[in-house]
Amino acid sequence: MSRTVTVGLDGSPESRAAAEWAAREALLRGLPLKLVHVAEPAPALVSQAPLVGPETRQHWTRRMPGEAAEGLRLRHPGLEVLTEQLTGPVPDALCEAADSAELLALGSRGFGGIGGFVVGSVSLAVVARVARPVVLVREGEQAADEHRMDPAGVPSAATPFRPVVLALDADHPSDTLLEFAFDAAARRETPLRVVSAWPETATTYYRFPGDAELQDDLERSHRTALAEALRPWRQKFPGVDVIEASRCGSAAQVVVGAARDASLVVVGRRIRTGSLGAHIGHVTHAALHHVSAPVAVVAHR
């Protein structure tokens, strides 16, 4: 069975934005789109309320995905749209749905009180657990947001895509992460900006003799490592214009700064099997909370 681009749909504005993004992505990939709605059992007191009893909830649950699917078919001619109803805890159901998907798209709410995006506990739980790529899409995301301005400075979905930005650890590059990012840039016919950060030396603030030479050596070494990591992928995707960006500083800050004009930001999540359990890492965490473009989290070894 062919994989699908799958989206978790709950009727919220952020999930509707994720569904629209997923529809465009499905067309880019030539895959069906699957809308997944998860119905959790209602608490006893809620289910007994006259206006939100079981029959009312079941009617809304059946109607909402179908209406969303019909709207997507009208707005995206030629797109095959499927729907699936699941029950149980939402994170568990979405993780199960992701197993048979090419990627899973989820919604993310708007700005929170401290100036970042609000990533809900369900989304974070799914991102930390699934092996397939998960894309977080912001509430209000529009197709034109992923494209360059037209000559008059007006947002337009008819102009070329903005670059795809990849956050890469040049010392430990992942083929899974690189393949996803190069493929995304190739499908969008846009440049791929590969951002890799390296830390400042411990003597940066003390001005010891030879510091400048040491800093230059570290910079050259990091640039060489980044170029070597990208060399085979440049050969596999010769049509992708690659922009190498090696920066000194905090990796999280470097990635967030480089993503300001991105159509898609690709970050990694290392799959860990230790006793500490799954986690997403500080760079991925920063991207999820502070990057306005859709963020793809790609799990890798």
Side-chain angles (χ1 to χ4, degrees):
M1 181 180 295
S2 173
R3 289 186 179 271
T4 61
V5 173
T6 298
V7 59
L9 187 68
D10 61 10
S12 65
E14 57 267 26
S15 77
R16 291 196 295 269
E20 291 291 343
W21 182 90
R24 299 191 297 271
E25 185 69 15
L27 287 172
L28 280 175
R29 293 173 176 265
L31 294 175
L33 172 67
K34 180 186 286 187
L35 308 181
V36 172
H37 177 259
V38 184
E40 285 189 298
L45 290 177
V46 174
S47 64
Q48 293 170 8
L51 296 180
V52 290
E55 293 183 359
T56 301
R57 287 174 54 85
Q58 290 174 9
H59 176 68
W60 181 83
T61 296
R62 288 194 300 266
R63 187 185 65 187
M64 185 268 293
E67 291 180 349
E70 186 59 30
L72 288 165
R73 293 187 188 101
L74 291 173
R75 290 188 294 276
H76 303 278
L79 176 65
E80 181 183 358
V81 184
L82 311 172
T83 62
E84 184 175 16
Q85 295 276 1
L86 300 176
T87 58
V90 176
D92 295 344
L94 290 175
C95 288
E96 181 181 348
D99 288 341
S100 59
E102 189 74 11
L103 61 82
L104 174 69
L106 299 173
S108 177
R109 293 193 296 278
F111 282 102
I114 58 174
F117 288 98
V118 180
V119 182
S121 59
V122 169
S123 295
L124 287 176
V126 173
V127 165
R129 289 168 53 186
V130 302
R132 304 301 303 170
V134 181
V135 181
L136 272 290
V137 182
R138 310 307 182 190
E139 177 185 345
E141 170 75 13
Q142 302 288 329
D145 297 335
E146 300 165 27
H147 293 256
R148 302 182 188 276
M149 295 285 190
D150 71 8
V154 177
S156 172
T159 58
F161 276 95
R162 297 176 184 270
V164 171
V165 172
L166 166 64
L168 185 70
D169 181 351
D171 294 326
H172 304 92
S174 160
D175 286 347
T176 303
L177 188 61
L178 283 159
E179 183 176 20
F180 183 95
F182 269 86
D183 180 71
R187 292 181 187 279
R188 288 163 173 78
E189 299 181 347
T190 194
L192 174 63
R193 182 185 301 148
V194 184
V195 181
S196 186
W198 49 283
E200 294 178 323
T201 61
T203 62
T204 297
Y205 303 103
Y206 298 98
R207 298 185 179 180
F208 286 121
D211 279 354
E213 291 81 0
L214 175 60
Q215 195 78 0
D216 289 344
D217 288 344
L218 288 173
E219 182 174 358
R220 281 193 296 270
S221 175
H222 194 82
R223 289 182 183 275
T224 299
L226 179 58
E228 287 300 316
L230 296 176
R231 190 185 310 280
W233 294 96
R234 285 178 178 271
Q235 295 171 353
K236 291 180 180 179
F237 292 86
V240 174
D241 180 19
V242 181
I243 303 168
E244 299 179 24
S246 178
R247 301 283 186 268
C248 178
S250 160
Q253 293 178 357
V254 168
V255 170
V256 171
R260 290 194 179 101
D261 66 339
S263 63
L264 177 69
V265 177
V266 183
V267 294
R269 179 186 71 81
R270 192 171 295 278
I271 299 173
R272 303 179 189 274
T273 57
S275 58
L276 295 179
H279 68 283
I280 63 174
H282 73 285
V283 174
T284 297
H285 189 274
L288 291 177
H289 287 277
H290 297 289
V291 171
S292 60
V295 177
V297 182
V298 181
H300 62 89
R301 298 289 180 183

